[in-house]
Short mmCIF file of all heavy atoms in Angstrom, two decimals:
data_model
loop_
_atom_site.label_atom_id
_atom_site.label_comp_id
_atom_site.label_asym_id
_atom_site.label_seq_id
_atom_site.Cartn_x
_atom_site.Cartn_y
_atom_site.Cartn_z
N THR A 60 0.83 -1.19 0.00
CA THR A 60 0.00 0.00 0.00
C THR A 60 0.87 1.24 0.00
O THR A 60 1.76 1.38 0.86
CB THR A 60 -0.93 0.04 1.22
OG1 THR A 60 -1.75 -1.13 1.25
CG2 THR A 60 -1.83 1.27 1.16
N ILE A 61 0.63 2.13 -0.95
CA ILE A 61 1.36 3.38 -1.01
C ILE A 61 0.49 4.49 -0.43
O ILE A 61 -0.73 4.48 -0.58
CB ILE A 61 1.79 3.71 -2.46
CG1 ILE A 61 2.79 4.86 -2.49
CG2 ILE A 61 0.58 4.00 -3.34
CD1 ILE A 61 3.44 5.06 -3.85
N SER A 62 1.12 5.43 0.24
CA SER A 62 0.39 6.53 0.84
C SER A 62 1.32 7.73 0.98
O SER A 62 2.54 7.61 0.82
CB SER A 62 -0.20 6.14 2.20
OG SER A 62 0.83 5.81 3.12
N ARG A 63 0.74 8.86 1.28
CA ARG A 63 1.52 10.07 1.49
C ARG A 63 0.99 10.83 2.68
O ARG A 63 -0.20 10.75 3.01
CB ARG A 63 1.50 10.96 0.25
CG ARG A 63 0.11 11.38 -0.22
CD ARG A 63 0.19 12.21 -1.48
NE ARG A 63 -1.11 12.48 -2.05
CZ ARG A 63 -1.87 13.53 -1.75
NH1 ARG A 63 -1.44 14.42 -0.85
NH2 ARG A 63 -3.05 13.70 -2.33
N ASP A 64 1.85 11.59 3.33
CA ASP A 64 1.40 12.42 4.43
C ASP A 64 1.14 13.83 3.92
O ASP A 64 1.17 14.10 2.73
CB ASP A 64 2.41 12.40 5.58
CG ASP A 64 3.76 12.99 5.23
OD1 ASP A 64 3.88 13.68 4.19
OD2 ASP A 64 4.71 12.77 6.00
N ALA A 65 0.87 14.74 4.84
CA ALA A 65 0.50 16.10 4.46
C ALA A 65 1.69 16.94 4.04
O ALA A 65 1.50 18.06 3.56
CB ALA A 65 -0.23 16.79 5.62
N LYS A 66 2.86 16.42 4.20
CA LYS A 66 4.04 17.23 3.91
C LYS A 66 4.86 16.64 2.77
O LYS A 66 4.52 16.80 1.60
CB LYS A 66 4.87 17.40 5.17
CG LYS A 66 4.16 18.22 6.24
CD LYS A 66 5.05 18.51 7.43
CE LYS A 66 4.33 19.40 8.43
NZ LYS A 66 5.18 19.70 9.61
N ASN A 67 5.90 15.94 3.10
CA ASN A 67 6.87 15.59 2.07
C ASN A 67 7.33 14.13 2.10
O ASN A 67 8.41 13.82 1.58
CB ASN A 67 8.10 16.49 2.19
CG ASN A 67 8.83 16.32 3.52
OD1 ASN A 67 8.30 15.74 4.46
ND2 ASN A 67 10.05 16.84 3.58
N THR A 68 6.52 13.26 2.66
CA THR A 68 6.91 11.86 2.77
C THR A 68 5.89 10.94 2.13
O THR A 68 4.69 11.12 2.33
CB THR A 68 7.10 11.45 4.25
OG1 THR A 68 8.09 12.31 4.85
CG2 THR A 68 7.57 10.02 4.35
N VAL A 69 6.38 10.00 1.37
CA VAL A 69 5.57 8.94 0.78
C VAL A 69 6.00 7.62 1.38
O VAL A 69 7.20 7.37 1.56
CB VAL A 69 5.69 8.93 -0.75
CG1 VAL A 69 5.02 7.70 -1.34
CG2 VAL A 69 5.07 10.20 -1.33
N TYR A 70 5.04 6.76 1.66
CA TYR A 70 5.29 5.50 2.31
C TYR A 70 4.91 4.34 1.41
O TYR A 70 4.03 4.44 0.57
CB TYR A 70 4.50 5.39 3.62
CG TYR A 70 4.74 6.54 4.57
CD1 TYR A 70 3.91 7.65 4.57
CD2 TYR A 70 5.81 6.51 5.45
CE1 TYR A 70 4.13 8.70 5.43
CE2 TYR A 70 6.04 7.55 6.32
CZ TYR A 70 5.20 8.65 6.31
OH TYR A 70 5.43 9.69 7.18
N LEU A 71 5.57 3.23 1.64
CA LEU A 71 5.20 1.98 1.01
C LEU A 71 5.10 0.93 2.11
O LEU A 71 6.13 0.49 2.63
CB LEU A 71 6.20 1.57 -0.06
CG LEU A 71 5.83 0.32 -0.85
CD1 LEU A 71 4.60 0.58 -1.73
CD2 LEU A 71 7.00 -0.16 -1.70
N GLU A 72 3.87 0.57 2.45
CA GLU A 72 3.64 -0.49 3.42
C GLU A 72 3.63 -1.82 2.69
O GLU A 72 2.83 -2.02 1.78
CB GLU A 72 2.31 -0.27 4.14
CG GLU A 72 2.00 -1.27 5.22
CD GLU A 72 2.84 -1.07 6.47
OE1 GLU A 72 3.19 0.09 6.75
OE2 GLU A 72 3.14 -2.06 7.16
N MET A 73 4.52 -2.70 3.08
CA MET A 73 4.69 -3.97 2.42
C MET A 73 4.32 -5.08 3.38
O MET A 73 4.95 -5.23 4.43
CB MET A 73 6.13 -4.14 1.92
CG MET A 73 6.61 -3.00 1.03
SD MET A 73 8.24 -3.31 0.33
CE MET A 73 9.23 -3.32 1.83
N ASN A 74 3.32 -5.84 3.02
CA ASN A 74 2.85 -6.96 3.82
C ASN A 74 2.97 -8.26 3.05
O ASN A 74 3.10 -8.27 1.83
CB ASN A 74 1.39 -6.74 4.24
CG ASN A 74 1.20 -5.48 5.05
OD1 ASN A 74 1.91 -5.24 6.02
ND2 ASN A 74 0.22 -4.67 4.66
N SER A 75 2.90 -9.35 3.78
CA SER A 75 3.00 -10.69 3.18
C SER A 75 4.19 -10.79 2.25
O SER A 75 4.09 -11.26 1.11
CB SER A 75 1.70 -11.02 2.44
OG SER A 75 0.59 -10.98 3.31
N LEU A 76 5.32 -10.34 2.74
CA LEU A 76 6.51 -10.30 1.90
C LEU A 76 6.97 -11.69 1.50
O LEU A 76 6.86 -12.64 2.28
CB LEU A 76 7.62 -9.56 2.62
CG LEU A 76 7.46 -8.03 2.65
CD1 LEU A 76 8.36 -7.42 3.70
CD2 LEU A 76 7.77 -7.45 1.27
N GLU A 77 7.48 -11.77 0.31
CA GLU A 77 7.96 -13.01 -0.27
C GLU A 77 9.42 -12.86 -0.64
O GLU A 77 9.91 -11.75 -0.84
CB GLU A 77 7.13 -13.35 -1.52
CG GLU A 77 5.64 -13.42 -1.28
CD GLU A 77 4.84 -13.45 -2.56
OE1 GLU A 77 5.43 -13.29 -3.65
OE2 GLU A 77 3.61 -13.66 -2.47
N PRO A 78 10.14 -13.97 -0.75
CA PRO A 78 11.54 -13.87 -1.17
C PRO A 78 11.73 -13.13 -2.48
O PRO A 78 12.75 -12.46 -2.67
CB PRO A 78 11.98 -15.34 -1.28
CG PRO A 78 11.11 -16.05 -0.30
CD PRO A 78 9.78 -15.35 -0.36
N GLU A 79 10.75 -13.23 -3.36
CA GLU A 79 10.82 -12.55 -4.65
C GLU A 79 10.76 -11.03 -4.51
O GLU A 79 11.05 -10.31 -5.47
CB GLU A 79 9.69 -13.03 -5.56
CG GLU A 79 9.83 -14.47 -6.03
CD GLU A 79 9.49 -15.49 -4.95
OE1 GLU A 79 8.84 -15.11 -3.94
OE2 GLU A 79 9.87 -16.66 -5.10
N ASP A 80 10.38 -10.54 -3.35
CA ASP A 80 10.36 -9.10 -3.10
C ASP A 80 11.74 -8.56 -2.74
O ASP A 80 11.89 -7.34 -2.62
CB ASP A 80 9.38 -8.76 -1.98
CG ASP A 80 7.95 -9.11 -2.34
OD1 ASP A 80 7.53 -8.82 -3.48
OD2 ASP A 80 7.25 -9.67 -1.47
N THR A 81 12.70 -9.42 -2.55
CA THR A 81 14.05 -8.99 -2.20
C THR A 81 14.64 -8.13 -3.32
O THR A 81 14.70 -8.56 -4.47
CB THR A 81 14.95 -10.19 -1.94
OG1 THR A 81 14.47 -10.91 -0.80
CG2 THR A 81 16.38 -9.75 -1.67
N ALA A 82 15.06 -6.94 -2.97
CA ALA A 82 15.59 -6.00 -3.95
C ALA A 82 16.01 -4.73 -3.24
O ALA A 82 15.71 -4.53 -2.06
CB ALA A 82 14.54 -5.67 -5.02
N VAL A 83 16.70 -3.88 -3.97
CA VAL A 83 16.88 -2.51 -3.53
C VAL A 83 15.68 -1.72 -4.00
O VAL A 83 15.33 -1.75 -5.18
CB VAL A 83 18.18 -1.90 -4.09
CG1 VAL A 83 18.31 -0.45 -3.67
CG2 VAL A 83 19.39 -2.70 -3.59
N TYR A 84 15.06 -1.01 -3.10
CA TYR A 84 13.87 -0.23 -3.40
C TYR A 84 14.23 1.24 -3.51
O TYR A 84 14.89 1.80 -2.63
CB TYR A 84 12.80 -0.44 -2.33
CG TYR A 84 12.09 -1.76 -2.46
CD1 TYR A 84 12.74 -2.95 -2.17
CD2 TYR A 84 10.77 -1.81 -2.88
CE1 TYR A 84 12.09 -4.16 -2.31
CE2 TYR A 84 10.11 -3.02 -3.02
CZ TYR A 84 10.78 -4.20 -2.73
OH TYR A 84 10.13 -5.40 -2.86
N TYR A 85 13.77 1.86 -4.58
CA TYR A 85 14.04 3.25 -4.86
C TYR A 85 12.74 4.03 -4.95
O TYR A 85 11.74 3.52 -5.45
CB TYR A 85 14.77 3.42 -6.20
CG TYR A 85 16.08 2.68 -6.33
CD1 TYR A 85 16.12 1.36 -6.77
CD2 TYR A 85 17.28 3.31 -6.03
CE1 TYR A 85 17.32 0.69 -6.90
CE2 TYR A 85 18.48 2.65 -6.15
CZ TYR A 85 18.50 1.34 -6.59
OH TYR A 85 19.69 0.67 -6.73
N CYS A 86 12.78 5.27 -4.52
CA CYS A 86 11.69 6.17 -4.86
C CYS A 86 12.17 7.14 -5.93
O CYS A 86 13.36 7.44 -6.03
CB CYS A 86 11.14 6.90 -3.63
SG CYS A 86 12.27 8.04 -2.81
N ALA A 87 11.23 7.61 -6.72
CA ALA A 87 11.55 8.48 -7.83
C ALA A 87 10.42 9.47 -8.05
O ALA A 87 9.26 9.19 -7.70
CB ALA A 87 11.80 7.65 -9.10
N VAL A 88 10.75 10.60 -8.64
CA VAL A 88 9.79 11.68 -8.85
C VAL A 88 9.80 12.14 -10.29
O VAL A 88 10.86 12.22 -10.92
CB VAL A 88 10.08 12.87 -7.92
CG1 VAL A 88 9.31 14.11 -8.35
CG2 VAL A 88 9.74 12.53 -6.48
N ARG A 89 8.62 12.42 -10.79
CA ARG A 89 8.48 13.18 -12.01
C ARG A 89 7.44 14.26 -11.79
O ARG A 89 6.54 14.10 -10.96
CB ARG A 89 8.09 12.31 -13.20
CG ARG A 89 6.66 11.76 -13.14
CD ARG A 89 6.28 11.10 -14.46
NE ARG A 89 4.92 10.57 -14.42
CZ ARG A 89 3.83 11.26 -14.74
NH1 ARG A 89 3.93 12.53 -15.13
NH2 ARG A 89 2.64 10.69 -14.67
N TYR A 90 7.55 15.35 -12.50
CA TYR A 90 6.53 16.39 -12.47
C TYR A 90 5.54 16.17 -13.60
O TYR A 90 5.90 15.70 -14.68
CB TYR A 90 7.16 17.77 -12.62
CG TYR A 90 8.03 18.18 -11.45
CD1 TYR A 90 9.41 18.35 -11.60
CD2 TYR A 90 7.47 18.39 -10.20
CE1 TYR A 90 10.20 18.73 -10.53
CE2 TYR A 90 8.26 18.76 -9.12
CZ TYR A 90 9.62 18.93 -9.29
OH TYR A 90 10.41 19.30 -8.22
#
């Protein structure tokens, strides 16, 4: 689940994680 707060932070809540989820996770922005 992705979400954002009222300011400048975006979250990624990850549940039921699997070995296939193993990775480096990056956030990125476009306008």
Side-chain angles (χ1 to χ4, degrees):
T60 302
I61 192 169
S62 62
R63 57 182 173 90
D64 64 14
K66 294 186 177 180
N67 63 345
T68 302
V69 171
Y70 305 94
L71 184 68
E72 183 74 31
M73 305 186 295
N74 300 310
S75 301
L76 284 163
E77 305 168 353
E79 292 75 17
D80 297 316
T81 296
V83 177
Y84 283 71
Y85 302 87
C86 65
V88 167
R89 70 170 180 89
Y90 293 115

